[in-house]
Amino acid sequence: MQRHPDFEFEAERLEYTIHYMQRLLAESQRDVDASQEQIRHSMADLDYLDSSLSFINILTNTRFFEMARSQKETFEAVQQKPYFARIHFQPDDEKDQMLYIGKTSVFHQETQDPIIVDWRSPVANVYYDGRLGHLTYDVRGDEVSGHLHSKRQYQIEDGELLGVRDIDLTTNDELLQEALAGKADVRLTEIISTIQSEQNDIIRASLRKPIIVQGAAGSGKTTIALHRISYFLYTMGSDFPADKLMILAPSKLFMDYIADVLPELGVGAINQTTYEDYVLAATGLNLKLTDPNGKLEQLASSAAAEDPAIVVARLKGSGEYRRIMERYVRKLETETAARFEDVFIDKYRIIGAKRLRNLFLNDFGYLPIEKRLERIRLIMNTEVTRKRKQLYALLSDKYEEALDKALYGIKDDTKRRARITKIMDERDERLPAVEKEGKRKVSSYMKRFKKFNVKSLYRTWLTDERLQQELAPDWPEEFMDAFRGMHVKNTWETEDLAALYDLHIQLKGLASEWKMRAVFIDEAQDYSEYQLAALHDGLGTDLFTLVGDLAQGIHSYRALTSWEPVLAMLPEAAYTTLQKSYRTTIEIMQLANTVLAQMEEELPLVEPVVRHGIPPVFHKMDALDSGQLELILEGISSRGHRSVAMICKTMAEAESLTAVLEQAGMAVQLLTPDSDIDESRLLIVPSVLSKGLEFDAVLIAAFADPFRDTDIDRKLLYVAMTRPMHELHMLGDAAQAVLDK
């Protein structure tokens, strides 16, 4: 390819930028070392300096250290590829700007001119959205207009400039094609340079409102979510610290998959967890959950048209189940309110039961029940202390008055002495008793209110017939019997977590460390209406970014089958769809679309980006043939592909095939939810765990347990078929029941 006429100029500019960043990196290292030394001095001074001053010095230097270390790590991460694009932009009535766009901003220390502009900055939006010519862009509500003369993109590896290309709409498509033709193990970290306009719109959509993205397989949902978090921190980081942002990932395996890209985007400090782990940590519940994937596989292998386990799982994720739990809380609230009685010290009423019930039910009704009781305890402490002192003074005055009457009103000496003695004895006994009773009154009174044991309360609901008849009177008796029968053993499932979390929120409240201000959920279609509603209410925020694909809703038996309940919960949410797939070739997507067309959700077919490859290959074999498999893998490797996965329908078959291939001496890795992926081996993974991942090539193998023509199996198959970027191989007759329809 002919070298760009500005190549030498751009090579010099890159060399200058790298050298300047190396200088800044050295300064950052000196700042890190200086901060560490200051912290050591402050720690040593703790023995003889004023302790408060020493602690202030330590805290100040620790902040400097963290800032310096963060800057150093940022420069280290990008110095070998400091930028990926440049725009030549001239704002109206101002001079031209040559702005180089990268993953972080760098300014000249003396002139403050931008050496690199952060991709998240408003002007960088011109690169992603702007056509050449006159345009406008938004800067915090103000409109800036100008002329975009050119856009340029660079190919840089290990600090060396390999290529320069001026781009418009046509060449941008060519660049996208080149990026998509790359390898799965590097594409996630490099997608920032090829973000498409519709993806960019979602990333930069209003951060003050929720957003729901229905995105086809391969449309970039995960990368959009990660880049939106990065944009969120860049734009609103001063208002929303990283520890108040949370991404809920589908599995620990998925978190390992995205681990490399998080630091590069500057979002490594946010909370990264699964829904299950978050709920258990936030509630403090010690539960051993049954494997939801095992249950899914059991249901996928079941011959029952409507397995009872599906019915109960669907119920536990529904709005109806949420209303039952609300009735349960109201019952507990009513029982608690009934325990309030008048508060007495001695024979005097200090606080009336009616007032306490009004505080509990009305004034503090917006709080969780235990928090209401804490508020009432504080009020009682203040009130009892004040009235105890008043009562003590009142009784003292009464005894003094009685003594005066006895002293001056009784003439008989014997009777007077007897009366005075009696009054004094009674005073000396009663006043200390009043003082003692007053001091203990609140603690003794509040003992009638026990702390709630959420786990025990919920277990009672699951197994108590009378409670079920009270809270769910419309349930048929046979369903109640079946419901109780499924909960005889002390087992806990993912479907139970929404109710447990909801009960904890309403009875105990959420500790501040678990209150997030913005939440990003990947694979949101696998959440139930109740799960999302409980999270929404518990966190007290509308700032949700939900990305998912109903066509990949393999847990739809207990989760969403429509976005309507979510839109009702978040009425201000922007809803958008992405039907274009940037992952798979046309040939693979055409086959996957035949499965998508059979979905019950009636979703539109996916539009693959115009990128061709070899058609899906069907390999006839009655059982897995390791020799034939090795030949297939050699062919894949010869075409330059590195990451290869064999996807099975179930974990049981994945384990079985792993044993066969290990016995044949092949380098394989069975992926589990907690695995660290080793792409030097053939990865063997059940379909349910492959969701969200992508590979250069995929082999679908299911011999003992083939994909059947059922809703769950179609979705499992569709997930497996949409994982490869370049090649899809079907082994045996794994999916013929679906594909032959």
Side-chain angles (χ1 to χ4, degrees):
M1 186 174 69
Q2 187 176 3
R3 176 172 285 195
H4 192 282
D6 290 343
F7 186 89
E8 295 301 330
F9 166 80
E10 293 292 2
E12 291 177 5
R13 209 294 181 168
L14 175 62
E15 184 178 2
Y16 160 77
T17 302
I18 291 175
H19 284 163
Y20 195 84
M21 291 190 70
Q22 288 173 343
R23 175 181 145 192
L24 295 179
L25 187 57
E27 291 180 5
S28 296
Q29 183 62 59
R30 286 195 293 272
D31 290 342
V32 168
D33 295 340
S35 298
Q36 285 181 311
E37 186 63 26
Q38 287 294 331
I39 291 171
R40 279 194 290 270
H41 282 307
S42 297
M43 292 291 289
D45 291 343
L46 276 176
D47 290 337
Y48 55 87
L49 279 183
D50 175 73
S51 59
S52 61
L53 179 61
S54 296
F55 278 120
I56 290 172
N57 287 337
I58 292 170
L59 291 173
T60 301
N61 284 298
T62 299
R63 282 195 288 269
F64 282 137
F65 171 73
E66 291 298 335
M67 290 169 58
R69 186 176 67 174
S70 176
Q71 186 178 54
K72 173 177 170 290
E73 290 173 351
T74 298
F75 288 156
E76 285 175 338
V78 302
Q79 67 168 330
Q80 293 304 305
K81 188 173 183 179
Y83 50 79
F84 54 83
R86 189 198 79 179
I87 57 172
H88 177 190
F89 182 67
Q90 184 175 10
D92 291 345
D93 303 322
E94 295 183 28
K95 64 178 182 179
D96 287 9
Q97 298 176 344
M98 295 291 187
L99 301 175
Y100 288 77
I101 301 171
K103 293 180 180 179
T104 189
S105 293
V106 177
F107 294 90
H108 195 282
Q109 289 180 314
E110 284 79 34
T111 66
Q112 291 303 302
D113 289 335
I115 296 174
I116 305 172
V117 173
D118 195 297
W119 70 273
R120 298 165 291 187
S121 65
V123 71
N125 198 31
V126 171
Y127 167 73
Y128 293 110
D129 271 0
R131 305 271 184 109
L132 301 184
H134 194 268
L135 51 80
T136 61
Y137 67 93
D138 179 79
V139 182
R140 298 177 182 86
D142 294 328
E143 194 173 81
V144 176
S145 60
H147 192 89
L148 180 62
H149 293 283
S150 67
K151 295 196 287 186
R152 180 172 288 182
Q153 194 172 74
Y154 307 97
Q155 184 183 1
I156 300 170
E157 289 183 15
D158 298 326
E160 181 182 355
L161 182 66
L162 302 181
V164 180
R165 186 180 305 187
D166 293 315
I167 60 173
D168 53 25
L169 192 61
T170 303
T171 51
N172 191 48
D173 286 344
E174 294 172 3
L175 288 165
L176 176 63
Q177 292 286 339
E178 290 179 9
L180 297 179
K183 305 305 171 200
D185 54 355
V186 297
R187 196 169 77 89
L188 190 63
T189 59
E190 297 303 321
I191 198 163
I192 190 172
S193 61
T194 54
I195 291 172
Q196 299 301 289
S197 178
E198 70 272 21
Q199 297 172 326
N200 184 57
D201 289 342
I202 297 170
I203 292 169
R204 296 175 188 260
S206 172
L207 299 174
R208 296 288 183 184
K209 292 184 178 181
I211 188 168
I212 302 167
V213 181
Q214 160 59 42
S219 60
K221 297 183 295 297
T222 298
T223 51
I224 287 170
L226 296 177
H227 285 78
R228 183 165 168 81
I229 298 170
S230 181
Y231 180 64
F232 197 105
L233 285 173
Y234 176 86
T235 307
M236 302 175 68
S238 58
D239 298 326
F240 291 81
D243 63 354
K244 289 301 175 186
L245 274 62
M246 176 171 68
I247 182 168
L248 291 178
S251 67
K252 293 176 183 175
L253 175 65
F254 182 82
M255 285 191 287
D256 174 64
Y257 175 69
I258 64 174
D260 290 340
V261 75
L262 290 172
E264 289 199 22
L265 291 175
V267 297
I270 73 164
N271 291 284
Q272 306 157 42
T273 185
T274 63
Y275 169 78
E276 290 82 1
D277 285 348
Y278 167 73
V279 170
L280 293 178
T283 59
L285 290 170
N286 183 19
L287 305 176
K288 186 173 183 180
L289 298 173
T290 58
D291 179 14
N293 296 331
K295 182 175 183 178
L296 175 66
E297 293 185 357
Q298 177 186 344
L299 295 174
S301 302
S302 173
E306 187 76 316
D307 192 297
I310 291 180
V311 178
V312 172
R314 186 179 299 131
L315 168 70
K316 289 181 177 178
S318 67
E320 177 191 349
Y321 203 66
R322 185 188 184 199
R323 289 187 288 274
I324 290 172
M325 291 301 105
E326 287 174 353
R327 290 197 286 272
Y328 198 4
V329 172
R330 297 291 78 80
K331 172 183 170 62
L332 296 170
E333 178 186 63
T334 301
E335 292 172 351
T336 303
R339 295 192 186 100
F340 285 105
E341 297 175 353
D342 292 341
V343 181
F344 286 91
I345 297 179
D346 198 67
K347 61 182 179 180
Y348 296 92
R349 188 172 70 172
I350 304 299
I351 309 174
K354 183 177 180 181
R355 181 188 170 202
L356 292 173
R357 275 194 289 270
N358 186 59
L359 287 170
F360 178 76
L361 294 172
N362 298 318
D363 293 19
F364 300 141
Y366 63 95
L367 292 171
I369 290 179
E370 288 188 3
K371 299 295 184 186
R372 299 185 220 176
L373 295 173
E374 290 173 12
R375 291 283 186 94
I376 289 172
R377 175 189 283 272
L378 292 174
I379 289 174
M380 287 181 65
N381 269 325
T382 302
E383 195 87 344
V384 168
T385 300
R386 180 174 63 85
K387 291 191 174 180
R388 171 176 56 81
K389 292 177 180 178
Q390 290 177 350
L391 178 58
Y392 191 92
L394 175 66
L395 292 174
S396 295
D397 290 345
K398 283 187 175 183
Y399 282 116
E400 288 301 320
E401 184 181 342
L403 285 171
D404 286 344
K405 283 183 179 181
L407 186 61
Y408 299 108
I410 301 175
K411 294 180 180 180
D412 185 285
D413 289 345
T414 303
K415 290 182 178 180
R416 184 171 60 249
R417 281 195 298 272
R419 178 63 176 160
I420 289 172
T421 300
K422 182 180 179 183
I423 292 171
M424 292 178 68
D425 287 346
E426 184 181 325
R427 180 195 64 185
D428 293 346
E429 181 180 347
R430 191 178 182 192
L431 288 181
V434 166
E435 184 79 4
K436 185 177 181 180
E437 182 184 3
K439 288 180 177 179
R440 295 179 177 178
K441 175 55 64 176
V442 175
S443 59
S444 63
Y445 183 91
M446 295 301 292
K447 283 181 180 177
R448 68 190 65 201
F449 304 108
K450 304 298 183 184
K451 293 284 187 182
F452 291 109
N453 185 319
V454 172
K455 180 178 174 181
S456 177
L457 285 169
Y458 186 64
R459 174 56 57 179
T460 300
W461 150 253
L462 293 176
T463 56
D464 189 285
E465 181 178 0
R466 284 187 296 179
L467 184 60
Q468 290 167 2
Q469 289 172 344
E470 179 182 353
L471 299 180
D474 296 333
W475 282 7
E477 187 174 340
E478 60 273 17
F479 179 77
M480 281 193 189
D481 292 341
F483 186 84
R484 284 193 303 279
M486 295 181 68
H487 300 108
V488 173
K489 293 182 180 179
N490 191 24
T491 56
W492 305 94
E493 298 179 316
T494 294
E495 297 94 281
D496 292 310
L497 291 180
L500 286 164
Y501 179 78
D502 194 19
L503 287 173
H504 182 89
I505 295 300
Q506 296 195 62
L507 299 177
K508 293 177 170 293
L510 194 62
S512 58
E513 65 182 297
W514 302 111
K515 283 199 171 184
M516 303 297 151
R517 297 178 62 187
V519 184
F520 303 80
I521 301 182
D522 200 1
E523 304 292 351
Q525 78 282 347
D526 287 337
Y527 287 69
S528 70
E529 177 183 349
Y530 194 6
Q531 283 178 314
L532 293 174
L535 279 174
H536 175 251
D537 291 352
L539 296 173
T541 181
D542 281 345
L543 297 183
F544 279 76
T545 294
L546 304 173
V547 299
D549 180 14
L550 295 176
Q552 298 181 66
I554 56 177
H555 294 287
S556 59
Y557 66 91
R558 60 166 169 82
L560 297 173
T561 56
S562 162
W563 295 112
E564 290 301 320
V566 190
L567 289 167
M569 181 184 78
L570 301 169
E572 292 192 358
Y575 175 77
T576 187
T577 61
L578 295 171
Q579 284 308 118
K580 190 175 290 186
S581 172
Y582 298 97
R583 178 185 296 138
T584 55
T585 62
I586 288 177
E587 290 76 12
I588 295 173
M589 202 64 239
Q590 283 176 340
L591 185 63
N593 269 336
T594 64
V595 179
L596 180 61
Q598 300 175 46
M599 299 282 183
E600 295 178 1
E601 285 77 10
E602 297 185 359
L603 294 165
L605 299 182
V606 180
E607 305 167 19
V609 169
V610 181
R611 181 170 65 90
H612 287 281
I614 65 173
V617 183
F618 292 81
H619 303 271
K620 289 291 183 184
M621 55 180 81
D622 295 327
L624 185 60
D625 183 331
S626 60
Q628 189 175 349
L629 178 61
E630 286 184 328
L631 292 175
I632 296 170
L633 294 175
E634 286 174 7
I636 292 172
S637 178
S638 70
R639 291 183 284 275
H641 303 314
R642 294 197 291 257
S643 62
V644 184
M646 176 184 289
I647 301 180
C648 308
K649 176 182 165 182
T650 64
M651 175 60 82
E653 182 140 37
E655 291 171 344
S656 173
L657 297 184
T658 299
V660 169
L661 296 179
E662 284 179 338
Q663 192 171 6
M666 295 183 65
V668 298
Q669 181 191 13
L670 174 66
L671 293 188
T672 67
D674 299 321
S675 292
D676 293 326
I677 298 175
D678 179 2
E679 290 189 341
S680 66
R681 296 171 176 267
L682 171 64
L683 305 174
I684 304 181
V685 54
S687 179
V688 64
L689 287 182
S690 71
K691 194 148 56 72
L693 309 181
E694 64 180 28
F695 309 95
D696 291 339
V698 163
L699 306 95
I700 297 179
F703 298 97
D705 198 355
F707 294 90
R708 302 168 305 153
D709 187 23
T710 64
D711 182 54
I712 290 178
D713 280 26
R714 284 192 292 269
K715 286 176 176 171
L716 288 170
L717 177 60
Y718 179 75
V719 166
M721 294 176 72
T722 53
R723 297 309 97 201
M725 289 181 62
H726 305 293
E727 295 190 29
L728 174 63
H729 297 260
M730 309 288 289
L731 308 185
D733 296 329
Q736 295 311 116
V738 180
L739 297 178
D740 287 347
K741 276 195 71 177

